[in-house]
Amino acid sequence: AQTVTQSQPEMSVQEAETVTLSCTYDTSESDYYLFWYKQPPSRQMILVIRQEAYKQQNATENRFSVNFQKAAKSFSLKISDSQLGDAAMYFCAYRSADGNEKLTFGTGTRLTIIP
Amino acid sequence: SAVISQKPSRDICQRGTSLTIQCQVDSQVTMMFWYRQQPGQSLTLIATANQGSEATYESGFVIDKFPISRPNLTFSTLTVSNMSPEDSSIYLCSVQNQANEKLFFGSGTQLSVL
């Protein structure tokens, strides 16, 4: 079974600075997808970024980018120019590419933005 | 992106009663998913709901406790039956966009059981 580990329960960053959230996972599969979701106090789960395991190029979405290290099974999220609206819980998630759409989530990292 | 409406947004229920949560999507989707997020915890998949067949439940979740309906490709319900305080959680429905394989979530139902 796949597992996802987020070793940082809480992180904080100064507004406009850069922060990196860590995620590692364990799988025996070669093809899969990795995600970062953001959950603000509104409870809405918002997709931040997605990475296909077969792609070597790291995904980027505006101020959000990932460092995907397949051999190390590491998938960190970098947030540049942090904004107050980035404050939320961030969940790393894994999904197999075998047709099973189930997401396996990490335990989350609470990100605080310091004005 | 898919627009997902989930109702109710929150409820406070008495022990032993049942609550049905509705999830409506603005487009047809093959699979809908129901997750539970216990206080301070991550999300755990309860079951996958396919239209026209019985839901597939994950380990630790059973149909008698969490019956699911999926009458068409845009709608699903999850019932939390015979509730106890341990069922106090956020329940979220999720769908996959077939075009880009991204998963989208409803805004969740905050359930408190007294």
PDB file of all heavy atoms in Angstrom, chain A residues 32-68:
ATOM      1  N   TYR A  32       2.409   7.055 -11.590  1.00  0.00           N
ATOM      2  CA  TYR A  32       1.450   7.557 -10.608  1.00  0.00           C
ATOM      3  C   TYR A  32       1.390   9.070 -10.743  1.00  0.00           C
ATOM      4  O   TYR A  32       2.103   9.684 -11.547  1.00  0.00           O
ATOM      5  CB  TYR A  32       1.865   7.153  -9.183  1.00  0.00           C
ATOM      6  CG  TYR A  32       3.332   7.399  -8.866  1.00  0.00           C
ATOM      7  CD1 TYR A  32       3.774   8.637  -8.414  1.00  0.00           C
ATOM      8  CD2 TYR A  32       4.276   6.385  -9.050  1.00  0.00           C
ATOM      9  CE1 TYR A  32       5.114   8.857  -8.141  1.00  0.00           C
ATOM     10  CE2 TYR A  32       5.615   6.597  -8.776  1.00  0.00           C
ATOM     11  CZ  TYR A  32       6.034   7.833  -8.320  1.00  0.00           C
ATOM     12  OH  TYR A  32       7.372   8.049  -8.055  1.00  0.00           O
ATOM     13  N   TYR A  33       0.525   9.658  -9.946  1.00  0.00           N
ATOM     14  CA  TYR A  33       0.376  11.113  -9.914  1.00  0.00           C
ATOM     15  C   TYR A  33       0.584  11.598  -8.474  1.00  0.00           C
ATOM     16  O   TYR A  33       0.217  10.914  -7.524  1.00  0.00           O
ATOM     17  CB  TYR A  33      -1.027  11.530 -10.370  1.00  0.00           C
ATOM     18  CG  TYR A  33      -1.363  11.116 -11.775  1.00  0.00           C
ATOM     19  CD1 TYR A  33      -2.014   9.912 -12.018  1.00  0.00           C
ATOM     20  CD2 TYR A  33      -1.037  11.922 -12.867  1.00  0.00           C
ATOM     21  CE1 TYR A  33      -2.330   9.513 -13.303  1.00  0.00           C
ATOM     22  CE2 TYR A  33      -1.356  11.534 -14.156  1.00  0.00           C
ATOM     23  CZ  TYR A  33      -2.002  10.330 -14.366  1.00  0.00           C
ATOM     24  OH  TYR A  33      -2.308   9.943 -15.638  1.00  0.00           O
ATOM     25  N   LEU A  34       1.106  12.794  -8.372  1.00  0.00           N
ATOM     26  CA  LEU A  34       1.282  13.433  -7.066  1.00  0.00           C
ATOM     27  C   LEU A  34       0.621  14.803  -7.102  1.00  0.00           C
ATOM     28  O   LEU A  34       0.629  15.487  -8.131  1.00  0.00           O
ATOM     29  CB  LEU A  34       2.772  13.579  -6.744  1.00  0.00           C
ATOM     30  CG  LEU A  34       3.534  12.255  -6.582  1.00  0.00           C
ATOM     31  CD1 LEU A  34       5.035  12.502  -6.630  1.00  0.00           C
ATOM     32  CD2 LEU A  34       3.146  11.570  -5.284  1.00  0.00           C
ATOM     33  N   PHE A  35       0.060  15.179  -5.975  1.00  0.00           N
ATOM     34  CA  PHE A  35      -0.698  16.427  -5.893  1.00  0.00           C
ATOM     35  C   PHE A  35      -0.345  17.185  -4.613  1.00  0.00           C
ATOM     36  O   PHE A  35       0.021  16.590  -3.608  1.00  0.00           O
ATOM     37  CB  PHE A  35      -2.209  16.144  -5.847  1.00  0.00           C
ATOM     38  CG  PHE A  35      -2.733  15.305  -6.966  1.00  0.00           C
ATOM     39  CD1 PHE A  35      -2.659  13.924  -6.904  1.00  0.00           C
ATOM     40  CD2 PHE A  35      -3.319  15.884  -8.078  1.00  0.00           C
ATOM     41  CE1 PHE A  35      -3.144  13.124  -7.923  1.00  0.00           C
ATOM     42  CE2 PHE A  35      -3.812  15.104  -9.105  1.00  0.00           C
ATOM     43  CZ  PHE A  35      -3.726  13.731  -9.025  1.00  0.00           C
ATOM     44  N   TRP A  36      -0.529  18.487  -4.688  1.00  0.00           N
ATOM     45  CA  TRP A  36      -0.589  19.319  -3.497  1.00  0.00           C
ATOM     46  C   TRP A  36      -1.959  19.990  -3.479  1.00  0.00           C
ATOM     47  O   TRP A  36      -2.360  20.621  -4.456  1.00  0.00           O
ATOM     48  CB  TRP A  36       0.500  20.378  -3.488  1.00  0.00           C
ATOM     49  CG  TRP A  36       1.825  19.861  -3.012  1.00  0.00           C
ATOM     50  CD1 TRP A  36       2.877  19.447  -3.778  1.00  0.00           C
ATOM     51  CD2 TRP A  36       2.234  19.706  -1.648  1.00  0.00           C
ATOM     52  NE1 TRP A  36       3.919  19.040  -2.975  1.00  0.00           N
ATOM     53  CE2 TRP A  36       3.553  19.199  -1.666  1.00  0.00           C
ATOM     54  CE3 TRP A  36       1.630  19.962  -0.417  1.00  0.00           C
ATOM     55  CZ2 TRP A  36       4.280  18.934  -0.498  1.00  0.00           C
ATOM     56  CZ3 TRP A  36       2.343  19.700   0.734  1.00  0.00           C
ATOM     57  CH2 TRP A  36       3.645  19.188   0.690  1.00  0.00           C
ATOM     58  N   TYR A  37      -2.653  19.837  -2.335  1.00  0.00           N
ATOM     59  CA  TYR A  37      -3.929  20.485  -2.125  1.00  0.00           C
ATOM     60  C   TYR A  37      -3.793  21.478  -0.980  1.00  0.00           C
ATOM     61  O   TYR A  37      -3.071  21.256  -0.010  1.00  0.00           O
ATOM     62  CB  TYR A  37      -5.018  19.470  -1.777  1.00  0.00           C
ATOM     63  CG  TYR A  37      -5.606  18.748  -2.965  1.00  0.00           C
ATOM     64  CD1 TYR A  37      -5.034  17.580  -3.446  1.00  0.00           C
ATOM     65  CD2 TYR A  37      -6.723  19.249  -3.621  1.00  0.00           C
ATOM     66  CE1 TYR A  37      -5.567  16.913  -4.527  1.00  0.00           C
ATOM     67  CE2 TYR A  37      -7.268  18.589  -4.717  1.00  0.00           C
ATOM     68  CZ  TYR A  37      -6.680  17.425  -5.160  1.00  0.00           C
ATOM     69  OH  TYR A  37      -7.202  16.772  -6.240  1.00  0.00           O
ATOM     70  N   LYS A  38      -4.548  22.535  -1.091  1.00  0.00           N
ATOM     71  CA  LYS A  38      -4.596  23.581  -0.071  1.00  0.00           C
ATOM     72  C   LYS A  38      -5.989  23.562   0.543  1.00  0.00           C
ATOM     73  O   LYS A  38      -6.993  23.495  -0.181  1.00  0.00           O
ATOM     74  CB  LYS A  38      -4.312  24.929  -0.733  1.00  0.00           C
ATOM     75  CG  LYS A  38      -4.614  26.151   0.088  1.00  0.00           C
ATOM     76  CD  LYS A  38      -4.393  27.401  -0.774  1.00  0.00           C
ATOM     77  CE  LYS A  38      -4.764  28.650  -0.017  1.00  0.00           C
ATOM     78  NZ  LYS A  38      -4.582  29.862  -0.860  1.00  0.00           N
ATOM     79  N   GLN A  39      -6.050  23.624   1.874  1.00  0.00           N
ATOM     80  CA  GLN A  39      -7.339  23.674   2.563  1.00  0.00           C
ATOM     81  C   GLN A  39      -7.360  24.875   3.498  1.00  0.00           C
ATOM     82  O   GLN A  39      -6.834  24.823   4.601  1.00  0.00           O
ATOM     83  CB  GLN A  39      -7.622  22.390   3.332  1.00  0.00           C
ATOM     84  CG  GLN A  39      -9.026  22.334   3.927  1.00  0.00           C
ATOM     85  CD  GLN A  39      -9.294  21.057   4.695  1.00  0.00           C
ATOM     86  OE1 GLN A  39      -8.461  20.566   5.431  1.00  0.00           O
ATOM     87  NE2 GLN A  39     -10.498  20.485   4.509  1.00  0.00           N
ATOM     88  N   PRO A  40      -7.942  25.977   3.067  1.00  0.00           N
ATOM     89  CA  PRO A  40      -8.079  27.151   3.948  1.00  0.00           C
ATOM     90  C   PRO A  40      -9.150  26.888   4.995  1.00  0.00           C
ATOM     91  O   PRO A  40      -9.795  25.842   4.972  1.00  0.00           O
ATOM     92  CB  PRO A  40      -8.488  28.265   2.970  1.00  0.00           C
ATOM     93  CG  PRO A  40      -9.120  27.549   1.826  1.00  0.00           C
ATOM     94  CD  PRO A  40      -8.476  26.198   1.737  1.00  0.00           C
ATOM     95  N   PRO A  41      -9.360  27.829   5.912  1.00  0.00           N
ATOM     96  CA  PRO A  41     -10.385  27.632   6.953  1.00  0.00           C
ATOM     97  C   PRO A  41     -11.784  27.378   6.397  1.00  0.00           C
ATOM     98  O   PRO A  41     -12.630  26.847   7.092  1.00  0.00           O
ATOM     99  CB  PRO A  41     -10.323  28.948   7.742  1.00  0.00           C
ATOM    100  CG  PRO A  41      -8.909  29.402   7.574  1.00  0.00           C
ATOM    101  CD  PRO A  41      -8.536  29.013   6.174  1.00  0.00           C
ATOM    102  N   SER A  42     -12.030  27.738   5.179  1.00  0.00           N
ATOM    103  CA  SER A  42     -13.335  27.477   4.567  1.00  0.00           C
ATOM    104  C   SER A  42     -13.591  25.992   4.316  1.00  0.00           C
ATOM    105  O   SER A  42     -14.703  25.606   3.960  1.00  0.00           O
ATOM    106  CB  SER A  42     -13.439  28.224   3.238  1.00  0.00           C
ATOM    107  OG  SER A  42     -12.511  27.685   2.312  1.00  0.00           O
ATOM    108  N   ARG A  43     -12.585  25.164   4.517  1.00  0.00           N
ATOM    109  CA  ARG A  43     -12.667  23.701   4.348  1.00  0.00           C
ATOM    110  C   ARG A  43     -12.545  23.239   2.898  1.00  0.00           C
ATOM    111  O   ARG A  43     -12.378  22.048   2.635  1.00  0.00           O
ATOM    112  CB  ARG A  43     -13.950  23.096   4.917  1.00  0.00           C
ATOM    113  CG  ARG A  43     -14.240  23.303   6.354  1.00  0.00           C
ATOM    114  CD  ARG A  43     -15.331  22.341   6.811  1.00  0.00           C
ATOM    115  NE  ARG A  43     -16.483  22.397   5.945  1.00  0.00           N
ATOM    116  CZ  ARG A  43     -17.558  23.146   6.207  1.00  0.00           C
ATOM    117  NH1 ARG A  43     -17.576  23.897   7.267  1.00  0.00           N
ATOM    118  NH2 ARG A  43     -18.592  23.151   5.392  1.00  0.00           N
ATOM    119  N   GLN A  44     -12.681  24.166   1.965  1.00  0.00           N
ATOM    120  CA  GLN A  44     -12.598  23.783   0.559  1.00  0.00           C
ATOM    121  C   GLN A  44     -11.225  23.233   0.244  1.00  0.00           C
ATOM    122  O   GLN A  44     -10.216  23.851   0.567  1.00  0.00           O
ATOM    123  CB  GLN A  44     -12.874  25.012  -0.311  1.00  0.00           C
ATOM    124  CG  GLN A  44     -12.897  24.748  -1.792  1.00  0.00           C
ATOM    125  CD  GLN A  44     -14.226  24.223  -2.277  1.00  0.00           C
ATOM    126  OE1 GLN A  44     -15.261  24.739  -1.911  1.00  0.00           O
ATOM    127  NE2 GLN A  44     -14.208  23.196  -3.089  1.00  0.00           N
ATOM    128  N   MET A  45     -11.177  22.079  -0.374  1.00  0.00           N
ATOM    129  CA  MET A  45      -9.908  21.503  -0.828  1.00  0.00           C
ATOM    130  C   MET A  45      -9.627  22.043  -2.229  1.00  0.00           C
ATOM    131  O   MET A  45     -10.393  21.802  -3.158  1.00  0.00           O
ATOM    132  CB  MET A  45      -9.989  19.981  -0.869  1.00  0.00           C
ATOM    133  CG  MET A  45     -10.046  19.339   0.508  1.00  0.00           C
ATOM    134  SD  MET A  45      -8.481  19.402   1.370  1.00  0.00           S
ATOM    135  CE  MET A  45      -7.553  18.165   0.487  1.00  0.00           C
ATOM    136  N   ILE A  46      -8.532  22.740  -2.359  1.00  0.00           N
ATOM    137  CA  ILE A  46      -8.197  23.404  -3.623  1.00  0.00           C
ATOM    138  C   ILE A  46      -6.928  22.787  -4.191  1.00  0.00           C
ATOM    139  O   ILE A  46      -5.897  22.736  -3.511  1.00  0.00           O
ATOM    140  CB  ILE A  46      -7.982  24.916  -3.387  1.00  0.00           C
ATOM    141  CG1 ILE A  46      -9.245  25.531  -2.779  1.00  0.00           C
ATOM    142  CG2 ILE A  46      -7.616  25.623  -4.686  1.00  0.00           C
ATOM    143  CD1 ILE A  46      -9.034  26.904  -2.202  1.00  0.00           C
ATOM    144  N   LEU A  47      -7.016  22.329  -5.420  1.00  0.00           N
ATOM    145  CA  LEU A  47      -5.840  21.754  -6.067  1.00  0.00           C
ATOM    146  C   LEU A  47      -4.835  22.861  -6.376  1.00  0.00           C
ATOM    147  O   LEU A  47      -5.163  23.843  -7.032  1.00  0.00           O
ATOM    148  CB  LEU A  47      -6.245  21.039  -7.360  1.00  0.00           C
ATOM    149  CG  LEU A  47      -5.104  20.438  -8.179  1.00  0.00           C
ATOM    150  CD1 LEU A  47      -4.397  19.346  -7.398  1.00  0.00           C
ATOM    151  CD2 LEU A  47      -5.633  19.891  -9.497  1.00  0.00           C
ATOM    152  N   VAL A  48      -3.618  22.683  -5.889  1.00  0.00           N
ATOM    153  CA  VAL A  48      -2.559  23.671  -6.111  1.00  0.00           C
ATOM    154  C   VAL A  48      -1.726  23.291  -7.321  1.00  0.00           C
ATOM    155  O   VAL A  48      -1.461  24.122  -8.204  1.00  0.00           O
ATOM    156  CB  VAL A  48      -1.656  23.772  -4.865  1.00  0.00           C
ATOM    157  CG1 VAL A  48      -0.468  24.699  -5.139  1.00  0.00           C
ATOM    158  CG2 VAL A  48      -2.448  24.259  -3.661  1.00  0.00           C
ATOM    159  N   ILE A  49      -1.317  22.026  -7.364  1.00  0.00           N
ATOM    160  CA  ILE A  49      -0.406  21.614  -8.427  1.00  0.00           C
ATOM    161  C   ILE A  49      -0.423  20.092  -8.558  1.00  0.00           C
ATOM    162  O   ILE A  49      -0.706  19.390  -7.582  1.00  0.00           O
ATOM    163  CB  ILE A  49       1.016  22.151  -8.144  1.00  0.00           C
ATOM    164  CG1 ILE A  49       1.865  22.217  -9.401  1.00  0.00           C
ATOM    165  CG2 ILE A  49       1.689  21.351  -7.040  1.00  0.00           C
ATOM    166  CD1 ILE A  49       3.096  23.089  -9.240  1.00  0.00           C
ATOM    167  N   ARG A  50      -0.128  19.623  -9.756  1.00  0.00           N
ATOM    168  CA  ARG A  50      -0.136  18.188 -10.032  1.00  0.00           C
ATOM    169  C   ARG A  50       1.126  17.813 -10.799  1.00  0.00           C
ATOM    170  O   ARG A  50       1.595  18.576 -11.644  1.00  0.00           O
ATOM    171  CB  ARG A  50      -1.361  17.830 -10.863  1.00  0.00           C
ATOM    172  CG  ARG A  50      -1.507  16.352 -11.177  1.00  0.00           C
ATOM    173  CD  ARG A  50      -2.704  16.092 -12.046  1.00  0.00           C
ATOM    174  NE  ARG A  50      -2.401  16.349 -13.456  1.00  0.00           N
ATOM    175  CZ  ARG A  50      -2.931  15.650 -14.447  1.00  0.00           C
ATOM    176  NH1 ARG A  50      -3.747  14.659 -14.184  1.00  0.00           N
ATOM    177  NH2 ARG A  50      -2.653  15.949 -15.700  1.00  0.00           N
ATOM    178  N   GLN A  51       1.633  16.613 -10.491  1.00  0.00           N
ATOM    179  CA  GLN A  51       2.842  16.132 -11.175  1.00  0.00           C
ATOM    180  C   GLN A  51       2.611  14.691 -11.630  1.00  0.00           C
ATOM    181  O   GLN A  51       2.164  13.856 -10.836  1.00  0.00           O
ATOM    182  CB  GLN A  51       4.043  16.160 -10.211  1.00  0.00           C
ATOM    183  CG  GLN A  51       5.323  15.557 -10.749  1.00  0.00           C
ATOM    184  CD  GLN A  51       6.087  16.496 -11.664  1.00  0.00           C
ATOM    185  OE1 GLN A  51       6.211  17.693 -11.399  1.00  0.00           O
ATOM    186  NE2 GLN A  51       6.624  15.972 -12.747  1.00  0.00           N
ATOM    187  N   GLU A  52       2.892  14.424 -12.902  1.00  0.00           N
ATOM    188  CA  GLU A  52       2.863  13.045 -13.386  1.00  0.00           C
ATOM    189  C   GLU A  52       4.242  12.429 -13.183  1.00  0.00           C
ATOM    190  O   GLU A  52       5.250  13.051 -13.513  1.00  0.00           O
ATOM    191  CB  GLU A  52       2.498  12.991 -14.869  1.00  0.00           C
ATOM    192  CG  GLU A  52       1.084  13.414 -15.161  1.00  0.00           C
ATOM    193  CD  GLU A  52       0.971  14.875 -15.554  1.00  0.00           C
ATOM    194  OE1 GLU A  52       1.867  15.671 -15.185  1.00  0.00           O
ATOM    195  OE2 GLU A  52      -0.004  15.220 -16.220  1.00  0.00           O
ATOM    196  N   ALA A  53       4.282  11.223 -12.673  1.00  0.00           N
ATOM    197  CA  ALA A  53       5.567  10.608 -12.332  1.00  0.00           C
ATOM    198  C   ALA A  53       6.434  10.350 -13.552  1.00  0.00           C
ATOM    199  O   ALA A  53       7.666  10.329 -13.462  1.00  0.00           O
ATOM    200  CB  ALA A  53       5.338   9.308 -11.576  1.00  0.00           C
ATOM    201  N   TYR A  54       5.808  10.168 -14.720  1.00  0.00           N
ATOM    202  CA  TYR A  54       6.605   9.862 -15.915  1.00  0.00           C
ATOM    203  C   TYR A  54       7.244  11.111 -16.514  1.00  0.00           C
ATOM    204  O   TYR A  54       8.081  11.020 -17.413  1.00  0.00           O
ATOM    205  CB  TYR A  54       5.748   9.163 -16.961  1.00  0.00           C
ATOM    206  CG  TYR A  54       4.603   9.977 -17.506  1.00  0.00           C
ATOM    207  CD1 TYR A  54       4.785  10.861 -18.563  1.00  0.00           C
ATOM    208  CD2 TYR A  54       3.323   9.854 -16.970  1.00  0.00           C
ATOM    209  CE1 TYR A  54       3.730  11.607 -19.061  1.00  0.00           C
ATOM    210  CE2 TYR A  54       2.272  10.598 -17.464  1.00  0.00           C
ATOM    211  CZ  TYR A  54       2.476  11.471 -18.507  1.00  0.00           C
ATOM    212  OH  TYR A  54       1.437  12.204 -19.003  1.00  0.00           O
ATOM    213  N   LYS A  55       6.870  12.271 -16.008  1.00  0.00           N
ATOM    214  CA  LYS A  55       7.456  13.513 -16.500  1.00  0.00           C
ATOM    215  C   LYS A  55       8.623  13.918 -15.611  1.00  0.00           C
ATOM    216  O   LYS A  55       8.479  14.036 -14.390  1.00  0.00           O
ATOM    217  CB  LYS A  55       6.420  14.632 -16.519  1.00  0.00           C
ATOM    218  CG  LYS A  55       5.364  14.473 -17.593  1.00  0.00           C
ATOM    219  CD  LYS A  55       4.476  15.706 -17.657  1.00  0.00           C
ATOM    220  CE  LYS A  55       3.462  15.577 -18.789  1.00  0.00           C
ATOM    221  NZ  LYS A  55       2.566  16.758 -18.871  1.00  0.00           N
ATOM    222  N   GLN A  56       9.757  14.154 -16.222  1.00  0.00           N
ATOM    223  CA  GLN A  56      10.917  14.567 -15.441  1.00  0.00           C
ATOM    224  C   GLN A  56      10.853  16.039 -15.076  1.00  0.00           C
ATOM    225  O   GLN A  56      11.394  16.456 -14.057  1.00  0.00           O
ATOM    226  CB  GLN A  56      12.193  14.268 -16.219  1.00  0.00           C
ATOM    227  CG  GLN A  56      12.475  12.773 -16.375  1.00  0.00           C
ATOM    228  CD  GLN A  56      13.820  12.516 -17.011  1.00  0.00           C
ATOM    229  OE1 GLN A  56      14.360  13.372 -17.699  1.00  0.00           O
ATOM    230  NE2 GLN A  56      14.372  11.339 -16.793  1.00  0.00           N
ATOM    231  N   GLN A  57      10.180  16.800 -15.904  1.00  0.00           N
ATOM    232  CA  GLN A  57      10.121  18.241 -15.658  1.00  0.00           C
ATOM    233  C   GLN A  57       9.225  18.531 -14.468  1.00  0.00           C
ATOM    234  O   GLN A  57       8.111  18.004 -14.366  1.00  0.00           O
ATOM    235  CB  GLN A  57       9.588  18.955 -16.889  1.00  0.00           C
ATOM    236  CG  GLN A  57       9.638  20.465 -16.788  1.00  0.00           C
ATOM    237  CD  GLN A  57       9.272  21.130 -18.100  1.00  0.00           C
ATOM    238  OE1 GLN A  57       8.813  20.476 -19.040  1.00  0.00           O
ATOM    239  NE2 GLN A  57       9.479  22.429 -18.175  1.00  0.00           N
ATOM    240  N   ASN A  58       9.700  19.386 -13.589  1.00  0.00           N
ATOM    241  CA  ASN A  58       8.921  19.761 -12.417  1.00  0.00           C
ATOM    242  C   ASN A  58       7.752  20.663 -12.808  1.00  0.00           C
ATOM    243  O   ASN A  58       7.909  21.601 -13.588  1.00  0.00           O
ATOM    244  CB  ASN A  58       9.808  20.492 -11.404  1.00  0.00           C
ATOM    245  CG  ASN A  58      10.798  19.554 -10.743  1.00  0.00           C
ATOM    246  OD1 ASN A  58      10.499  18.394 -10.488  1.00  0.00           O
ATOM    247  ND2 ASN A  58      11.988  20.055 -10.470  1.00  0.00           N
ATOM    248  N   ALA A  59       6.579  20.375 -12.216  1.00  0.00           N
ATOM    249  CA  ALA A  59       5.400  21.183 -12.496  1.00  0.00           C
ATOM    250  C   ALA A  59       5.527  22.566 -11.859  1.00  0.00           C
ATOM    251  O   ALA A  59       6.132  22.724 -10.791  1.00  0.00           O
ATOM    252  CB  ALA A  59       4.155  20.478 -11.972  1.00  0.00           C
ATOM    253  N   THR A  60       4.923  23.540 -12.530  1.00  0.00           N
ATOM    254  CA  THR A  60       4.923  24.924 -12.037  1.00  0.00           C
ATOM    255  C   THR A  60       3.568  25.537 -12.299  1.00  0.00           C
ATOM    256  O   THR A  60       2.988  25.340 -13.372  1.00  0.00           O
ATOM    257  CB  THR A  60       6.001  25.752 -12.754  1.00  0.00           C
ATOM    258  OG1 THR A  60       7.281  25.169 -12.519  1.00  0.00           O
ATOM    259  CG2 THR A  60       6.020  27.174 -12.236  1.00  0.00           C
ATOM    260  N   GLU A  61       3.055  26.255 -11.303  1.00  0.00           N
ATOM    261  CA  GLU A  61       1.811  27.004 -11.437  1.00  0.00           C
ATOM    262  C   GLU A  61       2.007  28.357 -10.763  1.00  0.00           C
ATOM    263  O   GLU A  61       1.859  28.505  -9.558  1.00  0.00           O
ATOM    264  CB  GLU A  61       0.640  26.256 -10.774  1.00  0.00           C
ATOM    265  CG  GLU A  61       0.196  25.006 -11.463  1.00  0.00           C
ATOM    266  CD  GLU A  61      -0.630  25.263 -12.709  1.00  0.00           C
ATOM    267  OE1 GLU A  61      -1.078  26.416 -12.908  1.00  0.00           O
ATOM    268  OE2 GLU A  61      -0.822  24.316 -13.485  1.00  0.00           O
ATOM    269  N   ASN A  62       2.368  29.334 -11.573  1.00  0.00           N
ATOM    270  CA  ASN A  62       2.574  30.692 -11.067  1.00  0.00           C
ATOM    271  C   ASN A  62       3.613  30.682  -9.931  1.00  0.00           C
ATOM    272  O   ASN A  62       4.767  30.339 -10.170  1.00  0.00           O
ATOM    273  CB  ASN A  62       1.250  31.290 -10.617  1.00  0.00           C
ATOM    274  CG  ASN A  62       0.251  31.335 -11.742  1.00  0.00           C
ATOM    275  OD1 ASN A  62       0.576  31.758 -12.863  1.00  0.00           O
ATOM    276  ND2 ASN A  62      -0.977  30.901 -11.498  1.00  0.00           N
ATOM    277  N   ARG A  63       3.208  31.040  -8.714  1.00  0.00           N
ATOM    278  CA  ARG A  63       4.174  31.123  -7.607  1.00  0.00           C
ATOM    279  C   ARG A  63       4.466  29.769  -6.969  1.00  0.00           C
ATOM    280  O   ARG A  63       5.303  29.677  -6.057  1.00  0.00           O
ATOM    281  CB  ARG A  63       3.630  32.077  -6.535  1.00  0.00           C
ATOM    282  CG  ARG A  63       3.430  33.509  -6.996  1.00  0.00           C
ATOM    283  CD  ARG A  63       2.964  34.394  -5.846  1.00  0.00           C
ATOM    284  NE  ARG A  63       1.612  34.021  -5.379  1.00  0.00           N
ATOM    285  CZ  ARG A  63       1.379  33.419  -4.234  1.00  0.00           C
ATOM    286  NH1 ARG A  63       2.375  33.109  -3.417  1.00  0.00           N
ATOM    287  NH2 ARG A  63       0.144  33.137  -3.878  1.00  0.00           N
ATOM    288  N   PHE A  64       3.797  28.744  -7.435  1.00  0.00           N
ATOM    289  CA  PHE A  64       3.935  27.410  -6.851  1.00  0.00           C
ATOM    290  C   PHE A  64       4.735  26.518  -7.792  1.00  0.00           C
ATOM    291  O   PHE A  64       4.441  26.452  -8.988  1.00  0.00           O
ATOM    292  CB  PHE A  64       2.560  26.792  -6.600  1.00  0.00           C
ATOM    293  CG  PHE A  64       1.713  27.569  -5.643  1.00  0.00           C
ATOM    294  CD1 PHE A  64       0.893  28.596  -6.093  1.00  0.00           C
ATOM    295  CD2 PHE A  64       1.730  27.286  -4.289  1.00  0.00           C
ATOM    296  CE1 PHE A  64       0.111  29.325  -5.209  1.00  0.00           C
ATOM    297  CE2 PHE A  64       0.948  28.003  -3.393  1.00  0.00           C
ATOM    298  CZ  PHE A  64       0.135  29.031  -3.856  1.00  0.00           C
ATOM    299  N   SER A  65       5.713  25.831  -7.242  1.00  0.00           N
ATOM    300  CA  SER A  65       6.486  24.880  -8.039  1.00  0.00           C
ATOM    301  C   SER A  65       6.836  23.688  -7.160  1.00  0.00           C
ATOM    302  O   SER A  65       6.775  23.768  -5.928  1.00  0.00           O
ATOM    303  CB  SER A  65       7.751  25.533  -8.592  1.00  0.00           C
ATOM    304  OG  SER A  65       8.584  25.965  -7.537  1.00  0.00           O
ATOM    305  N   VAL A  66       7.165  22.590  -7.810  1.00  0.00           N
ATOM    306  CA  VAL A  66       7.528  21.402  -7.059  1.00  0.00           C
ATOM    307  C   VAL A  66       8.948  20.987  -7.409  1.00  0.00           C
ATOM    308  O   VAL A  66       9.476  21.324  -8.461  1.00  0.00           O
ATOM    309  CB  VAL A  66       6.554  20.230  -7.333  1.00  0.00           C
ATOM    310  CG1 VAL A  66       5.145  20.604  -6.912  1.00  0.00           C
ATOM    311  CG2 VAL A  66       6.627  19.783  -8.780  1.00  0.00           C
ATOM    312  N   ASN A  67       9.542  20.265  -6.475  1.00  0.00           N
ATOM    313  CA  ASN A  67      10.817  19.595  -6.703  1.00  0.00           C
ATOM    314  C   ASN A  67      10.535  18.100  -6.582  1.00  0.00           C
ATOM    315  O   ASN A  67      10.414  17.567  -5.475  1.00  0.00           O
ATOM    316  CB  ASN A  67      11.861  20.039  -5.681  1.00  0.00           C
ATOM    317  CG  ASN A  67      13.216  19.403  -5.959  1.00  0.00           C
ATOM    318  OD1 ASN A  67      13.408  18.690  -6.954  1.00  0.00           O
ATOM    319  ND2 ASN A  67      14.173  19.650  -5.091  1.00  0.00           N
ATOM    320  N   PHE A  68      10.389  17.466  -7.727  1.00  0.00           N
ATOM    321  CA  PHE A  68      10.029  16.057  -7.781  1.00  0.00           C
ATOM    322  C   PHE A  68      11.292  15.233  -7.982  1.00  0.00           C
ATOM    323  O   PHE A  68      11.968  15.358  -9.012  1.00  0.00           O
ATOM    324  CB  PHE A  68       9.046  15.822  -8.924  1.00  0.00           C
ATOM    325  CG  PHE A  68       8.714  14.376  -9.183  1.00  0.00           C
ATOM    326  CD1 PHE A  68       8.370  13.529  -8.146  1.00  0.00           C
ATOM    327  CD2 PHE A  68       8.739  13.871 -10.476  1.00  0.00           C
ATOM    328  CE1 PHE A  68       8.061  12.195  -8.386  1.00  0.00           C
ATOM    329  CE2 PHE A  68       8.431  12.550 -10.728  1.00  0.00           C
ATOM    330  CZ  PHE A  68       8.090  11.713  -9.690  1.00  0.00           C
TER     331      PHE A  68
END
